[in-house]
Amino acid sequence: MGTKITWLGHSAFKIETGDHTILIDPFLTGNPLAVTKPEDLNPDFILLSHGHGDHVGDTVAIAKRTGALVVGNFEVAGWIGKQGVQNTSSPNTGGTGKYAFGSVQLTLAFHSSSMPDGSYGGSPNGLFITLNNGLKIYHAGDTALYSDMQLVGAKGIDVAIIPIGDFFTMGPEDSIQAIQWLKPRYVLPCHYNTFPPIAQDAAAWANEVNTRTLSNAIVLDPGGAYQF
Ligand code: NI
Ligand code: MN
């Protein structure tokens, strides 16, 4: 049973697997790269890496319309609940939640986190997703390079999604070290080209990945998808 991953622009992804549709960090309204409207998405799960507006995005509206379960750390999921979303799940860093599609462990991420209204967002996270079909997907969230990525890599990663934009997160050069430590079969870039400070040449990055690491770079256009 295959799994289809679609890049929605910035850090937003859609994962379709079995009967389930999972959104990660669905920032569409106000995202200049987005080609998908929030009302066209019908997830049953929404996973959030941290509280910043370019990640929480359209979560509240999509969750209220679809009834999707929103998974985020204690503070993020709590804030989403206060906006009137009934269905939330709030693990915390290092912990794993089990869901109908598989499981999600909240990993470390070195960044900051506050909610769109400025309230406390807890610690930022990456998302280590294990699907029922065995596919292991690591979405790094917003993060700097950190050496414990080697421990994440030791879990075995099929698909890594990592920021390459620089300025707010690690940039292309640090991402190469990250990929060498994570050792994913495939790696997709995110968190670039959305805004002027994070403009990057993804084709040049992919060439570096394919030359200097054992991983295969996959560069999608917004709205583009890859079947794993
Ligand atoms: Ni952020
Ligand atoms: Mn961000």
Side-chain angles (χ1 to χ4, degrees):
M1 187 169 55
T3 297
K4 183 180 173 186
I5 299 181
T6 304
W7 188 40
L8 302 176
H10 206 54
S11 288
F13 287 82
K14 176 172 68 174
I15 300 171
E16 293 166 282
T17 184
D19 294 334
H20 302 292
T21 299
I22 305 157
L23 295 184
I24 300 173
D25 290 356
F27 166 53
L28 301 161
T29 303
N31 176 352
L33 291 189
V35 297
T36 309
K37 289 185 166 56
E39 50 269 33
D40 294 333
L41 294 166
N42 291 293
D44 43 356
F45 295 91
I46 301 173
L47 314 181
L48 297 177
S49 64
H50 65 295
H52 288 159
D54 60 319
H55 297 259
V56 170
D58 297 288
T59 295
V60 171
I62 296 171
K64 283 183 177 176
R65 177 174 52 77
T66 61
L69 176 73
V70 180
V71 181
N73 76 19
F74 182 78
E75 288 80 8
V76 169
W79 185 89
I80 294 290
K82 281 187 192 158
Q83 314 310 307
V85 173
Q86 306 287 336
N87 209 7
T88 63
S89 175
S90 54
N92 215 329
T93 306
T96 301
K98 292 189 170 65
Y99 308 102
F101 62 82
S103 66
V104 181
Q105 183 179 30
L106 299 185
T107 72
L108 297 180
F110 281 79
H111 188 62
S112 61
S113 181
S114 50
M115 304 311 300
D117 61 7
S119 59
Y120 177 59
S123 297
N125 292 114
L127 305 164
F128 195 96
I129 303 162
T130 304
L131 300 177
N132 289 335
N133 64 9
L135 197 75
K136 293 181 178 179
I137 302 168
Y138 168 60
H139 186 299
D142 281 3
T143 187
L145 177 67
Y146 64 96
S147 59
D148 278 0
M149 283 180 173
Q150 294 166 99
L151 301 178
V152 181
K155 296 169 180 290
I157 300 172
D158 295 301
V159 184
I161 299 170
I162 61 172
I164 67 161
D166 214 339
F167 198 75
F168 300 117
T169 66
M170 64 180 170
E173 184 58 32
D174 280 355
S175 84
I176 298 297
Q177 176 67 76
I179 294 161
Q180 289 168 348
W181 279 336
L182 293 167
K183 300 181 171 64
R185 288 166 55 212
Y186 300 95
V187 58
L188 282 67
C190 71
H191 216 273
Y192 71 98
N193 284 358
T194 324
F195 310 112
I198 58 173
Q200 296 294 345
D201 182 343
W205 170 84
N207 192 42
E208 289 292 303
V209 172
N210 294 333
T211 305
R212 295 168 57 191
T213 80
L214 298 174
S215 303
N216 300 297
I218 298 175
V219 176
L220 299 172
D221 292 324
Y226 196 90
Q227 185 88 30
F228 294 94

Short mmCIF file of all heavy atoms in Angstrom, two decimals, residues 50 52 54-55 111 142, ligand 1:
data_model
loop_
_atom_site.label_atom_id
_atom_site.label_comp_id
_atom_site.label_asym_id
_atom_site.label_seq_id
_atom_site.Cartn_x
_atom_site.Cartn_y
_atom_site.Cartn_z
N HIS A 50 4.94 23.26 15.91
CA HIS A 50 5.07 24.30 16.94
C HIS A 50 4.02 25.37 16.71
O HIS A 50 3.19 25.25 15.81
CB HIS A 50 6.50 24.85 17.01
CG HIS A 50 6.98 25.59 15.80
ND1 HIS A 50 7.15 25.00 14.57
CD2 HIS A 50 7.34 26.89 15.63
CE1 HIS A 50 7.61 25.89 13.71
NE2 HIS A 50 7.72 27.06 14.32
N HIS A 52 4.07 28.71 15.90
CA HIS A 52 4.17 29.90 15.05
C HIS A 52 3.10 29.90 13.95
O HIS A 52 2.70 28.85 13.45
CB HIS A 52 5.57 29.98 14.42
CG HIS A 52 6.64 30.36 15.41
ND1 HIS A 52 7.97 30.11 15.23
CD2 HIS A 52 6.52 31.00 16.61
CE1 HIS A 52 8.66 30.57 16.28
NE2 HIS A 52 7.80 31.11 17.12
N ASP A 54 3.08 30.57 10.88
CA ASP A 54 3.36 29.96 9.57
C ASP A 54 3.35 28.43 9.64
O ASP A 54 3.70 27.76 8.67
CB ASP A 54 4.68 30.49 8.99
CG ASP A 54 5.88 30.21 9.87
OD1 ASP A 54 5.78 30.35 11.11
OD2 ASP A 54 6.95 29.86 9.32
N HIS A 55 2.90 27.88 10.79
CA HIS A 55 2.78 26.43 10.96
C HIS A 55 1.37 26.06 11.41
O HIS A 55 0.74 25.17 10.85
CB HIS A 55 3.84 25.90 11.92
CG HIS A 55 5.21 26.14 11.38
ND1 HIS A 55 5.95 25.17 10.76
CD2 HIS A 55 5.94 27.30 11.28
CE1 HIS A 55 7.09 25.70 10.32
NE2 HIS A 55 7.10 26.99 10.62
N HIS A 111 14.59 25.87 18.29
CA HIS A 111 13.89 26.98 17.66
C HIS A 111 13.19 27.72 18.80
O HIS A 111 13.64 27.65 19.95
CB HIS A 111 12.90 26.38 16.63
CG HIS A 111 12.21 27.35 15.73
ND1 HIS A 111 12.88 28.15 14.84
CD2 HIS A 111 10.89 27.63 15.56
CE1 HIS A 111 12.00 28.87 14.16
NE2 HIS A 111 10.78 28.59 14.59
N ASP A 142 10.73 23.47 12.42
CA ASP A 142 11.70 24.55 12.31
C ASP A 142 12.82 24.23 13.29
O ASP A 142 12.58 24.11 14.49
CB ASP A 142 11.08 25.89 12.71
CG ASP A 142 10.23 26.51 11.62
OD1 ASP A 142 10.06 25.87 10.56
OD2 ASP A 142 9.72 27.63 11.83
NI NI B 1 8.85 28.82 13.58
#
